[in-house]
Amino acid sequence: MATSFLFSLILLLITALSLPFPLHASSIDPFSAGATAVRYWNRKIPNNAPHPDFFLSLLSPLPASVSSSLSSPLSISPSICRSARLLCPNSTYFQSLSSTVFIDGCTLSYTCTFTYEHTNIIVKPGIFFREQELKEGNVVRMPDIANELTTARSSFLPRSIADRIPFEAEAVKSLFGLEPNTTLAKAVDETVAQCQSSPSKGETKRCVTSAEDMIDFAVAMLGDDIVVRSTVLPNGPGESIMIGKVKGINGGKITSSVSCHEYLFPYMVYYCHSVPKIRVYEAEILSVQTKEKINSGVAICHIDTSAWNAGHPAFVALGGKPGQNEVCHWIFNGSMTWVIADKS
């Protein structure tokens, strides 16, 4: 009797741990904080859409039990830094930072590619384009969509830990032992300042410090039948590419999205903002020479630019003025956009 009960209990436990995970998420340790985040996704977004690899790679590898064992007040030890894949002094991830990322007062989203010289704005070719350019067979200039943080990327902290850290520059720098005027210390100052700045007209924004925070914001803005998309690889940057097959998400209808851009921080922080009146496209990116597919790109076209500043770099690059034309750009590798699930 006892043996039968124990066997049934074990089966129930195995089922409970395995059911929430689609096949592609099965490699995640079911006892990790990352697995907790996947189960949270499944509860909040119950549409059985796959969890993209680029999102799963951001989840915390820490055992779920670690957060409850951390002392109060909170301290982050070198061993926690290593286990959690954080950017802390003397960590492997931190050591790669100085040779790969340079902070010059801009954030590491697509806006970082704008160069300001006095009153003139220089915009790199291909950053912005018109919707009509997204046609199969067109040859266009592809901007550098590679994310400079790839080799020095941190992970999300478990929500139970992230929520205990005041989102204040001095508190974060003290907790992680960041020396003044270092690359990462400056990045913390910049990120917190950007996150605390007022939203643009018509914009709703939030800086999220955990996977659960991002899911909550996306669901609050768009509902629970949503998916997340990103440009898969950094291939094809800074050169001419050919547009392959193009698919308009939701039939190319005007919709809304939540776009999230990665910021440099000791732990993963994304700047997420709601984007109304847009069209989202998925496009094959082909080599001009061989016509072979080298990437899958996601592009957003902003249909209503009437609330944009007249000095926005898009108008410098493309001409026009607020409200006159649509403006499109690629979703950079490392950034992502949440949209209502495709019904077409």
Side-chain angles (χ1 to χ4, degrees), residues 199-203 274 276-277 302-312 315 321-325 327:
S200 303
K201 183 179 178 181
E203 178 190 41
S274 64
K277 296 183 180 179
H302 300 263
I303 307 306
D304 182 7
T305 62
S306 59
W308 292 22
N309 189 295
H312 193 286
F315 304 129
K321 58 185 180 180
Q324 192 173 60
N325 299 100
V327 171

Side-chain angles (χ1 to χ4, degrees), residues 39-99:
R39 288 191 283 268
Y40 189 82
W41 172 318
N42 292 342
R43 291 196 303 272
K44 299 289 286 189
I45 309 173
N47 59 8
N48 295 317
H51 312 95
D53 288 342
F54 68 81
F55 190 90
L56 295 178
S57 69
L58 306 176
L59 301 182
S60 175
L62 278 178
S65 59
V66 166
S67 60
S68 61
S69 66
L70 293 179
S71 61
S72 185
L74 184 65
S75 63
I76 303 293
S77 67
S79 62
I80 292 293
C81 268
R82 288 191 298 271
S83 300
R85 294 201 306 260
L86 306 181
L87 288 174
C88 303
N90 301 319
S91 71
T92 303
Y93 297 94
F94 186 86
Q95 296 302 321
S96 64
L97 186 64
S98 60
S99 62

Side-chain angles (χ1 to χ4, degrees), residues 149-182:
L149 294 181
T150 300
T151 57
R153 173 170 287 159
S154 55
S155 296
F156 276 125
L157 278 172
R159 181 184 238 176
S160 56
I161 297 177
D163 284 353
R164 295 172 61 186
I165 303 174
F167 198 71
E168 302 167 357
E170 295 308 315
V172 171
K173 289 186 287 187
S174 175
L175 178 63
F176 287 89
L178 304 182
E179 295 293 331
N181 299 318
T182 59

